[in-house]
Amino acid sequence: MAQQTNDRMDRLVSLCKRRGFIFQSSEVYGGINSCYDYGPMGVELKKNIKELWWKSLVYERDDIEGVDASILMHPRVWEASGHVEGFTDPLVDCKKCKMRFRADQIDTGKNCPNCGGELTEPRMFNLMFKTYMGPVEDAANIVYLRPETAQGIYVNFHNIREASRQKLPFGIAQIGKAFRNEITPGNFIFRMREFEQMEMQYFVKPGSDEQWFEFWKEERLKWYERLGIRKENLEFHQHSEKELAHYAKAAFDIQYKFPFGWQEIEGIHNRTDFDLGRHQEYSKKNLQYFDQEANERYIPYVIETSTGVDRLMLTTLADAYDEDQAAGETRVVLRFDPRIAPMKAAIFPLVKKDGMPEIAHNIVNGLRKQFRVFYDEAGAVGRRYRRQDEIGTPYCFTVDSQTLQDGSVTVRNRDSMAQERISQDKIMDYLVERVV
Ligand code: GAP
């Protein structure tokens, strides 16, 4: 069983490279551990996931605003947030083979799981990447690459509230890069050192936090259905007292059933007034909110929803990956929800003559103003379908001899492989109804 799941993961990783979703970073130099580049199909998938998240929070609600804060922030931010002191993992080394492990992931009472050698005592290792601002490399110039995007939201809370004239409860959403010097990155793009987060901080009146926590838990789980993830592959995991981050009063993870087991894809946290309270203390600026209705001042509580774009890429790829039998051979197909499919449609002339390529090009030119579409005239139509199945294109339109007579084309559905005829004038409407 374990072998089967590993094989499945290997086949997915190989498809990702072959079809231009994901490449090892700096591959020509032998690669760099846990860093990946997104190819032509990968960037489209990533963009579509981010757009769906942004749309559902910022466009479809009137109580959430967007922000794009800088990655480098004042170093005091990370002292206030508790990351300088507490964003650590316990690290042990094997004295023999020099492999490194997270002490909380192995039995440190035993010897090295790799070679049986003796292990060092655990020591705490801070996960933040450090660099220097300006030419002088001294302690006064240390800056950190942000390990979460959330702090850029907290320090902008009052700027955004004033500029947008929002009243509590309201939220701020952000998509951006985060960096963690993970001890054990791995499982392809599951745990990386450079990754992208999509975080939303919802500011509420203290006392209403538990109700909003429940609200966002349910909302976020529902969102995964929009992403096209199968329900049976999702579950909540409640954090025990021991698992809770230093800032959280309560936390639930949404977990996905990856080929390598159930793992977190999103965290929903009740961060109380911890972050704004600490920024008020460290910055000595008043960060209270004046509640006009109640005529009182307080530090808002925060309900956070936090997920990783790369981790959702892996989730959508793993959930969509399928193999079935078609025409006596194994068909590899990515059954993406059409809304996140990187390529929305492919257009084929059946043959390279009789004006069919010209008609197909005209169709492509009309569609490409709105959608990422692909023109393909190379090889047998069956092979062209297979190539599109592998990247998850939901619809293929073929121009054939009947098109020359009545202007209709065939539409072939990726999942059912069923074909129907529609008028070529209706292709745009057909796609708008199904892929937007
Ligand atoms: N601001 C809260 C926060 O960062 P987290 O549970 O540490 O909470 C939230 O991270 C999400 O960010 C995770 O659920 C995951 O999707 C993503 N994430 C965290 N570390 C990651 C890593 N090393 N590689 C890829 N994604 C990561």
Side-chain angles (χ1 to χ4, degrees):
M1 186 62 194
Q3 183 60 40
Q4 258 178 23
T5 54
N6 286 342
D7 286 353
R8 189 179 156 82
M9 197 59 201
D10 289 348
R11 290 201 297 278
L12 177 62
V13 171
S14 136
L15 175 77
C16 284
K17 179 172 181 197
R18 187 159 38 87
R19 299 313 314 271
F21 283 91
I22 303 167
F23 308 123
Q24 172 84 61
S25 162
S26 331
E27 197 187 79
V28 290
Y29 288 99
I32 171 168
N33 192 11
S34 91
C35 297
Y36 291 91
D37 300 338
Y38 294 104
M41 291 302 106
V43 282
E44 294 297 332
L45 176 62
K46 201 172 187 212
K47 179 176 77 59
N48 294 343
I49 293 172
K50 289 196 275 188
E51 271 178 14
L52 194 65
W53 185 86
W54 193 260
K55 212 166 131 199
S56 74
L57 292 173
V58 182
Y59 289 11
E60 292 174 13
R61 301 182 60 95
D62 51 22
D63 58 351
I64 297 185
E65 305 289 340
V67 72
D68 183 7
S70 95
I71 288 173
L72 300 177
M73 300 178 74
H74 196 291
R76 289 280 283 167
V77 166
W78 305 108
E79 288 171 32
S81 69
H83 284 80
V84 170
E85 196 189 338
F87 195 54
T88 51
D89 276 341
L91 166 74
V92 287
D93 293 288
C94 171
K95 292 182 183 170
K96 195 169 155 205
C97 72
K98 310 290 178 214
M99 261 186 87
R100 298 212 145 133
F101 304 94
R102 260 174 66 175
D104 54 348
Q105 289 178 346
I106 60 165
D107 183 350
T108 47
K110 293 193 176 153
N111 282 9
C112 170
N114 182 47
C115 73
E118 196 188 334
L119 296 170
T120 60
E121 284 301 309
R123 61 198 156 94
M124 294 315 270
F125 172 75
N126 196 296
L127 301 184
M128 282 198 294
F129 277 98
K130 258 188 217 166
T131 187
Y132 300 94
M133 185 83 116
V136 184
E137 295 192 4
D138 67 16
N141 297 321
I142 286 178
V143 285
Y144 299 97
L145 301 189
R146 64 182 179 196
E148 61 169 10
T149 63
Q151 300 301 325
I153 293 182
Y154 303 137
V155 297
N156 275 303
F157 168 69
H158 279 294
N159 287 338
I160 292 167
R161 182 190 58 73
E162 277 167 22
S164 61
R165 300 174 55 236
Q166 289 279 5
K167 291 194 170 61
L168 252 52
F170 80 95
I172 302 173
Q174 172 165 226
I175 302 178
K177 288 270 185 172
F179 301 82
R180 294 182 191 177
N181 204 356
E182 299 279 1
I183 296 170
T184 50
N187 277 328
F188 196 29
I189 54 168
F190 178 80
R191 181 165 286 110
M192 305 158 86
R193 294 196 169 109
E194 172 185 344
F195 55 98
E196 207 167 352
Q197 285 190 315
M198 303 194 285
E199 299 200 298
M200 194 279 294
Q201 315 294 323
Y202 200 74
F203 298 88
V204 304
K205 186 172 181 177
S208 67
D209 51 306
E210 288 178 13
Q211 173 204 332
W212 281 112
F213 184 69
E214 286 308 313
F215 173 84
W216 280 111
K217 246 179 74 189
E218 296 312 318
E219 280 295 297
R220 292 303 305 148
L221 189 64
K222 272 192 257 162
W223 183 77
Y224 285 91
E225 282 174 46
R226 280 182 74 174
L227 195 64
I229 304 302
R230 279 171 285 168
K231 240 183 171 163
E232 66 269 24
N233 290 338
L234 294 166
E235 66 174 24
F236 278 124
H237 162 75
Q238 181 170 15
H239 281 213
S240 65
E241 201 62 38
K242 235 176 84 191
E243 288 171 277
L244 281 179
H246 62 273
Y247 48 71
K249 155 179 161 187
F252 274 84
D253 290 339
I254 297 176
Q255 295 193 331
Y256 177 75
K257 193 178 176 190
F258 287 102
F260 45 86
W262 287 96
Q263 294 287 344
E264 170 191 347
I265 54 172
E266 169 153 354
I268 297 136
H269 310 119
N270 182 341
R271 291 181 77 135
T272 68
D273 56 0
F274 176 83
D275 299 275
L276 285 182
R278 293 272 289 201
H279 286 306
Q280 172 164 285
E281 185 191 332
Y282 278 67
S283 69
K284 312 251 182 304
K285 299 269 161 34
N286 183 358
L287 297 183
Q288 285 182 324
Y289 171 79
F290 177 57
D291 184 333
Q292 286 176 332
E293 266 169 43
N295 196 24
E296 55 178 315
R297 286 178 196 282
Y298 50 79
I299 302 266
Y301 268 39
V302 172
I303 306 303
E304 168 183 71
T305 75
S306 171
T307 186
V309 182
D310 314 84
R311 213 166 269 190
L312 294 194
M313 295 269 297
L314 187 58
T315 307
T316 52
L317 283 160
D319 212 62
Y321 186 88
D322 197 12
E323 291 167 7
D324 61 17
Q325 293 300 315
E329 49 180 77
T330 303
R331 176 176 85 123
V332 174
V333 51
L334 289 177
R335 299 187 191 277
F336 291 127
D337 184 292
R339 281 169 297 200
I340 59 160
M343 195 66 76
K344 302 302 182 196
I347 323 297
F348 310 148
L350 185 65
V351 289
K352 285 188 253 180
K353 57 181 186 182
D354 300 335
M356 290 183 206
E358 289 74 15
I359 298 174
H361 275 302
N362 269 344
I363 295 172
V364 167
N365 288 338
L367 295 176
R368 67 164 38 128
K369 295 187 185 96
Q370 199 156 336
F371 303 115
R372 185 87 160 87
V373 293
F374 187 74
Y375 173 88
D376 191 4
E377 59 177 27
V381 170
R383 297 222 69 76
R384 291 184 240 169
Y385 285 150
R386 296 288 177 277
R387 287 200 287 266
Q388 295 306 314
D389 291 341
E390 279 197 335
I391 57 169
T393 309
Y395 302 103
C396 295
F397 298 90
T398 304
V399 172
D400 55 19
S401 52
Q402 201 175 322
T403 315
L404 308 179
Q405 291 162 22
D406 64 7
S408 70
V409 293
T410 56
V411 193
R412 185 262 196 182
N413 182 301
R414 173 198 69 199
D415 294 332
S416 64
M417 293 190 279
Q419 300 191 9
E420 57 178 320
R421 288 202 83 86
I422 64 164
S423 160
Q424 71 180 80
D425 313 335
K426 294 275 183 290
I427 297 179
M428 179 63 96
D429 294 346
Y430 188 93
L431 286 177
V432 168
E433 242 174 63
R434 290 164 176 82
V435 308
V436 180

